[in-house]
Amino acid sequence: MPNMSLKKTPMPEQDPKVRARNFQEVSLGYTAEQAIEEANRCLKCKNPKCVTGCPVNIRIPDFIAKVQEGDFKAAYEIISSTNALPALSGRVCPQESQCECHCVRGIKGEPVAIGRLERFCADWYRENINAMPEKVENNGTKVAVVGSGPAGLTAASDLAKKGYAVTMFEALHTAGGVLVYGIPEFRLPKAIVANEVKKLEALGVEVMTNMVIGRVLTIDELFDMGYKAVFVGSGAGLPMFMNIPGEALKGVMSANEYLTRTNLMKAYDPAADTPVIQSKAVAVVGGGNVAMDAARCAMRLGAEHVYIVYRRGEAEMPARLEEVHHAKEEGIELKTLCNPVEILGDENGRVRGMKCVRMELGEPDASGRRRPVEIPGSEFILDVDTVVMSLGTSPNPLIRSTTPGLDTNRKGCLIVDENEMTTREGVFAGGDAVTGAATVILAMGAGKKAADAIHAFLNK
Amino acid sequence: MYKIVRKKDLNAAVTLMEIEAPFIAKKAHAGQFIIFRIDEQGERVPLTIAGYDREKGTVTIIFQKVGFSTIALGNLNEGDYIRDFVGPLGKPTHTEGIKHVCVVGGGVGCAIALPSAAAFKEAGAEVDVIVGFRSKDIVILEDEFRAVADNMYLMTDDGSYGEHGFVTVKLQQLLEQGKKYDAVLAIGPIPMMKFVCKTTEPFGVKTMVSLNPIMIDGTGMCGGCRVTVGGETKFACVDGPEFDGHQVDFAELMSRNGTYCQREKEVTETHACRMETMGKALIP
């Protein structure tokens, strides 16, 4: 008998008051009983629509059927046959706009909690079995993967499984890209990312950290070294600022800097040497997922007040509903329809406040969203000592500027054809480096597609 | 992991280390920098490259033991390892088309001025060098500079060695005597670079400075190293570290570099016991 409850089985979470001051994971995951209960909400549609929404083609009803039977190992194996990183996507994928929005149960009530079930299977496997994959004998054909974020990890995994001798190059000292420097510990524990990297190494992938491609080696030199194809998954790491007065004051940072200090460098841990500003009141400017992450980090680092300052309304925020909900639960205050015009400094050059102007929504603009318009004379000063700019990022120019023949669009994103190949023969690309800042799962999808395309290219 | 193959104390506060880093050694140029991290808890610290040996596969760094991580690095010895060493980052010193140059180094900044002076020499320029130190006991790299300089001027603040006075005194003199430079390159403490720029400005001599703002990744990602140059925001890690000194907002740079001063003091005290053990666990 299917479980006909209209609501998803709730997933246990840390109490908002407690978690707002620690860096442990917010969502605790299903127990086996809860997973089976939720799996029983799946109606096993003959023509499952959910699968069409998945960028990595997970056989969703098949794995859920195994969860219903309590065969979690089989469920995990079904997921991992098409998705290299289920513990990650189960946590950070926007399922509400991917698989779950196609679920028939969502027509009347909530869809099946596919993401939570995916996470459960991945966690169960890691905690109970965690078998490292068998090393695949490689065919001697070398492929380079540049970047070790979601796109690179997926491409490297798929290419290694196809038998290629894969080297993955990472610019920072730890592999994982945005999964380690950007997404905070409380949403995605770093031990899980490290475990995925370990699995890649077990497959035979060589992981080289501290390698800034474009500087220490160019793409052309990689070919000279015998690599037959290159996948560029270097992400979109270049932060934007507002260009308003006061942005050079001490206490103004990009979200990238704030998150990198906090996550990659573990500034929240007293044992780590890297400092981060100790703030009383923080304004995070922007309304995306990165803004939510920065705001929630600020709260955990001990700020008394944390504001999200966003020029449109709450309904227009690009962040996932779940992230906004979690942020509000943790005491983060939304200052919507509000735009910074100047950051004010004290006599020591530190932030002492941020002057904002109130906005109202006018006619829809090119993006279809209603354009925010300033309300004259509505300026006010927000009492903050730290400002974090979370306005979006664009791809780093290091690779495109050192690789002749690699074309980019106006925004600096690499141009690729339908097979993810750039304008340079044998150089493929995917993820944020191609799309501009987007989601983990889209990057994983691109990495997967590129791995297939590279395989086809090398077997022409 | 990167091995320290040579260590030499140049004076009481300044240490030279040669690090095994073949990929970087192959690509490094004068003016570029590396980032090191001693161990898992360590911070990422940028240091401009003081030299490289492409054959041996080593990169030389020269640093002043002033903060927590540089003191800890200075405690390590030949044969020890550091966890991370990444580079070469930033753009090389621009030598093209420069026939007459004056390289001005101050204190430990001389360590990075030296490879740039050598690069100018190699590119066929006539190289004048002015180096300045507080006093005789902290003079470094004198012979090395003499080997590349066409004209060498050594200054001390207290007159205990060489000529008495700041580097700007000598520079002013040379310019007034009618010396024509296509460019001046100044590397040293921020106030020194600022005053070198003030000195050259009336003479209209293009002056480059090498900036050292706080940074984390060194690849353009964090924006912590942003500096205002000619009214525009630039990232020292990818757009620099060398910039047109007449355009740089030095006051802003000075202020921003003080962001973590208080905290640095605390860390150096509270983590003092860790300093002794840093890096030691990495010995295989």
Side-chain angles (χ1 to χ4, degrees), chain A residues 171-174 181 208-212 214-218 221 225 237-239 241 243 247-254 256-258 260-261 264-265 267 269-278 348-350 396-398, chain B residues 2 23-24 27 32 37 39-44 68-69 83-91 214-217 219-226 228 233 235 237-238 240 252 255-261 263 267 271 274 278:
Chain A
L172 291 169
H173 56 259
T174 307
Y181 77 74
M208 290 184 76
T209 53
N210 294 328
M211 293 295 277
V212 183
R215 286 271 190 246
V216 72
L217 292 171
T218 62
E221 284 167 323
M225 288 163 71
L238 214 63
F241 289 90
N243 295 316
E247 273 185 314
L249 290 165
K250 284 175 278 194
V252 184
M253 270 170 286
S254 70
N256 267 2
E257 179 178 355
Y258 197 59
T260 302
R261 283 183 183 279
L264 176 72
M265 306 311 297
D269 179 353
D273 298 334
T274 302
V276 67
I277 286 182
Q278 301 296 305
N348 297 315
R350 288 192 185 269
N396 194 308
L398 224 44
Chain B
Y2 302 80
F23 280 110
I24 307 174
K27 270 304 186 61
Q32 292 185 298
R37 196 172 74 116
D39 62 12
E40 272 315 311
Q41 277 87 46
E43 54 183 343
R44 293 172 65 94
F68 179 72
S69 295
R83 181 73 185 77
D84 298 296
F85 198 76
V86 57
L89 300 166
K91 292 181 177 166
I214 294 174
M215 61 176 74
I216 310 176
D217 60 291
T219 64
M221 197 183 82
C222 79
C225 68
R226 63 192 188 278
T228 304
T233 299
F235 289 1
C237 66
V238 287
E252 179 189 292
S255 170
R256 286 184 59 78
N257 274 4
T259 305
Y260 294 101
C261 263
R263 152 88 197 191
V267 167
H271 289 197
R274 201 171 96 65
M278 276 174 86

Side-chain angles (χ1 to χ4, degrees), chain A residues 126-303:
Chain A
R126 193 181 62 257
E127 284 155 18
N128 292 281
I129 299 177
N130 204 22
M132 286 293 130
E134 294 279 310
K135 186 169 191 296
V136 181
E137 263 323 301
N138 76 59
N139 57 20
T141 305
K142 286 165 69 176
V143 179
V145 171
V146 178
S148 67
L153 287 173
T154 308
S157 170
D158 282 17
L159 286 163
K161 285 177 191 159
K162 290 179 203 295
Y164 294 99
V166 181
T167 309
M168 186 167 72
F169 297 96
E170 166 56 45
L172 291 169
H173 56 259
T174 307
V178 73
L179 306 169
V180 295
Y181 77 74
I183 301 177
E185 178 78 16
F186 57 84
R187 278 217 293 137
L188 178 62
K190 300 311 147 215
I192 291 176
V193 183
N195 193 58
E196 296 301 338
V197 175
K198 223 169 86 188
K199 280 199 220 155
L200 271 192
E201 289 178 314
L203 270 176
V205 174
E206 184 187 11
V207 180
M208 290 184 76
T209 53
N210 294 328
M211 293 295 277
V212 183
I213 302 302
R215 286 271 190 246
V216 72
L217 292 171
T218 62
I219 300 283
D220 287 293
E221 284 167 323
L222 290 175
F223 283 108
D224 293 344
M225 288 163 71
Y227 291 95
K228 300 295 179 206
V230 177
F231 174 74
V232 179
S234 51
L238 214 63
M240 291 189 235
F241 289 90
M242 288 189 82
N243 295 316
I244 56 172
E247 273 185 314
L249 290 165
K250 284 175 278 194
V252 184
M253 270 170 286
S254 70
N256 267 2
E257 179 178 355
Y258 197 59
L259 290 171
T260 302
R261 283 183 183 279
T262 310
N263 301 322
L264 176 72
M265 306 311 297
K266 303 204 179 328
Y268 63 85
D269 179 353
D273 298 334
T274 302
V276 67
I277 286 182
Q278 301 296 305
S279 317
K280 280 207 170 68
V282 181
V284 177
V285 183
N289 288 321
V290 175
M292 298 304 143
D293 283 345
R296 296 171 73 193
C297 282
M299 194 51 105
R300 284 161 173 78
L301 289 167

Side-chain angles (χ1 to χ4, degrees), chain A residues 33-98:
Chain A
E33 293 72 29
Q34 288 165 331
I36 293 170
E37 185 188 332
E38 181 60 22
N40 281 331
R41 293 185 65 231
C42 177
L43 301 179
K44 305 181 188 173
C45 305
K46 280 219 171 60
N47 178 15
K49 294 278 192 294
C50 50
V51 181
T52 63
C54 178
V56 293
N57 316 316
I58 297 177
R59 284 152 36 219
I60 294 165
D62 294 359
F63 99 76
I64 292 182
K66 289 296 171 192
V67 177
Q68 289 173 349
E69 294 167 21
D71 189 349
F72 306 134
K73 181 167 180 280
Y76 172 81
E77 281 159 0
I78 291 169
I79 300 170
S80 65
S81 69
T82 64
N83 177 4
L85 311 164
L88 310 183
S89 48
R91 284 176 165 77
V92 300
C93 209
Q95 291 97 7
E96 66 278 6
S97 56
Q98 313 260 357

